[in-house]
Amino acid sequence: MNKQNLNDVSDNLVDIIRRRPDYFYTFAYLKRKLEIDEDLLAKAIALLRQTGYRIETRKDTHCAFKSAPDLLLRAEILHGLKTKKMGRNVHAFQSVQSTNIIARQMAETGAVEGTIVVAEEQTRGRGRLGRKWFSSNGKGIYLSIIIYPDIRPTMAPGLSIMTALALADTISDYGAPSVNIKWPNDCLINGRKTVGILTELSAEIGKVHYVIVGVGINVNQQREDFPEDIRKRATSVGAELKRKLSRVELLQNFLYQFEKDYRVYQKSGLKNLRKRIVKYSNLIGSFVSLGQKDEIISGIARDIDTEGRLILELPDGNRKAFNAGEVTVIKE
Ligand code: BTN
């Protein structure tokens, strides 16, 4: 019996016994149901305990499920997941350099749409514009979703802002106060960055091969957990709500919302999502500066269009659409 099989057996075992928490299942029943022998059952229970599950045994003949760890494990993510596609194929890791890199390798070899890569920790978490993404162990969600949208490459920025919308809705549902989307695709709570999105795509002219939607969510970090250089600008959902959240549940809720919004996006792009995005936007009506490759442009943010572009009213009164850039609010 190799390790992979032991993992599968453990997943199946926990699936069965968690159906009735605290109930003592007989080993005889579990062995029959899982088609395994005593030795493998004992190994599976030991592995689950090692992973952080609380499983009580009685007289070496019965066992009961007590609780699951808040770890981004495959079995935990799948348990109670309400999506049809998103997150149905899970690759969960303890530590990786970057989930986006692994997801990209999987997309290259044809992983199914909705495959996700998650990790407890990233050693080289990547942010936009070549920045790093702070990815400490066990407190955040580091996730990449593989999708194959039938869109032109120019439409891809719309996917990032659609993702930001799904995240803003997910976080708001927890009761987080003052949730904003900062164009192009950050989510803020009380003005501090809580979520970052890094969308990467493989495409040729006129056709997208695949898109990796990389999402970093600060969930249970406290202020002092963040490195000093970002402490003033960063926060986590848990810190703002003053309670510890289940990362597994938050991930499941997000995947559900993402799937819903992605379905709408596939039919009509941002057309039917735009209003909700604009509602969350903290820029509309403000005087902003927008950092471009080699210039800084200032103007009043007037809108976000159906391609996810920011519409600025320039000092000469003309309006211009921008695909990307670093926005700073000068005057609200
Ligand atoms: C940003 O705001 O600059 C984007 C941050 C994106 C971070 C996520 S974490 C999961 C995925 N893997 C990465 O290396 N980056 C993205």
Side-chain angles (χ1 to χ4, degrees):
M1 188 58 62
N2 62 31
K3 193 145 189 283
Q4 178 54 39
N5 286 341
L6 178 58
N7 283 334
D8 287 348
V9 170
S10 309
D11 285 359
N12 295 337
L13 171 62
V14 85
D15 251 2
I16 295 175
I17 60 175
R18 77 185 319 162
R19 283 182 206 149
R20 288 178 71 185
D22 297 326
Y23 176 81
F24 280 90
Y25 287 84
T26 66
F27 283 4
Y29 169 79
L30 294 170
K31 283 191 301 188
R32 207 171 49 244
K33 196 87 181 141
L34 296 165
E35 297 178 357
I36 55 172
D37 62 17
E38 187 95 20
D39 185 46
L40 193 52
L41 179 62
K43 281 190 178 138
I45 292 173
L47 178 63
L48 288 170
R49 282 179 169 157
Q50 231 177 52
T51 317
Y53 288 91
R54 273 187 54 231
I55 294 173
E56 216 170 279
T57 40
R58 191 192 273 169
K59 295 190 218 143
D60 279 341
T61 53
H62 292 69
C63 71
F65 176 89
K66 293 286 169 181
S67 67
D70 183 37
L71 294 174
L72 301 170
L73 303 168
R74 189 175 161 274
E76 289 309 299
I77 294 166
L78 291 175
H79 178 74
L81 183 67
K82 291 203 206 81
T83 58
K84 288 218 165 67
K85 256 187 177 180
M86 298 300 154
R88 287 280 147 206
N89 188 24
V90 180
H91 296 270
F93 298 90
Q94 166 54 40
S95 181
V96 296
Q97 286 195 346
S98 156
T99 55
N100 267 27
I101 295 176
I102 295 184
R104 192 193 290 215
Q105 289 159 355
M106 288 178 178
E108 291 287 346
T109 51
V112 292
E113 181 161 77
T115 294
I116 62 168
V117 179
V118 285
E120 290 290 335
E121 168 189 72
Q122 295 186 118
T123 52
R124 284 204 193 163
R126 296 186 297 152
R128 285 175 55 238
L129 309 170
R131 296 186 187 130
K132 280 194 220 145
W133 181 257
F134 170 68
S135 311
S136 63
N137 192 356
K139 301 211 167 162
I141 295 174
Y142 316 111
L143 160 76
S144 300
I145 309 175
I146 300 172
I147 50 175
Y148 302 96
D150 186 12
I151 55 170
R152 282 172 283 116
T154 51
M155 298 272 290
L159 275 168
S160 298
I161 203 150
M162 180 224 95
T163 306
L165 174 63
L167 283 157
D169 273 341
T170 306
I171 295 170
S172 297
D173 282 350
Y174 278 78
S178 174
V179 176
N180 282 126
I181 294 175
K182 181 178 172 227
W183 186 89
N185 50 25
D186 290 345
C187 284
L188 315 179
I189 303 180
N190 288 327
R192 291 172 193 254
K193 182 152 166 169
T194 318
V195 167
I197 298 162
L198 178 66
T199 302
E200 298 181 292
L201 74 159
S202 155
E204 61 188 271
I205 294 170
K207 188 175 163 40
V208 167
H209 299 308
Y210 62 79
V211 176
I212 307 299
V213 180
V215 176
I217 312 175
N218 297 334
V219 185
N220 285 322
Q221 291 93 340
Q222 293 306 310
R223 189 112 330 135
E224 59 277 10
D225 290 327
F226 292 106
E228 219 161 292
D229 54 323
I230 59 168
R231 204 169 282 168
K232 281 211 175 94
R233 289 175 282 123
T235 191
S236 73
V237 190
E240 294 302 315
L241 292 175
K242 300 195 173 38
R243 68 185 168 95
K244 191 167 180 264
L245 301 179
S246 155
R247 290 177 305 145
V248 171
E249 192 185 280
L250 180 52
L251 172 60
Q252 291 172 330
N253 292 339
F254 163 62
L255 289 171
Y256 183 72
Q257 191 62 45
F258 179 87
E259 182 166 283
K260 270 209 309 202
D261 290 341
Y262 180 53
R263 223 175 279 139
V264 176
Y265 180 86
Q266 277 179 307
K267 274 199 194 126
S268 51
L270 292 180
K271 194 167 148 262
N272 295 316
L273 299 169
R274 203 186 65 86
K275 266 198 191 140
R276 280 165 54 213
I277 293 167
V278 170
K279 220 176 84 198
Y280 275 117
S281 172
N282 64 343
L283 298 179
I284 309 300
S286 298
F287 189 64
V288 301
S289 74
L290 181 68
Q292 297 284 282
K293 244 191 207 137
D294 29 41
E295 58 177 338
I296 293 178
I297 293 161
S298 307
I300 301 171
R302 286 298 181 201
D303 207 351
I304 291 166
D305 73 6
T306 50
E307 290 189 24
R309 297 176 303 181
L310 182 68
I311 310 293
L312 282 193
E313 184 183 314
L314 303 174
D316 63 7
N318 285 327
R319 292 189 175 200
K320 200 172 167 193
F322 294 89
N323 269 318
E326 196 60 9
V327 190
T328 312
V329 175
I330 297 172
K331 193 164 178 276
E332 286 186 8

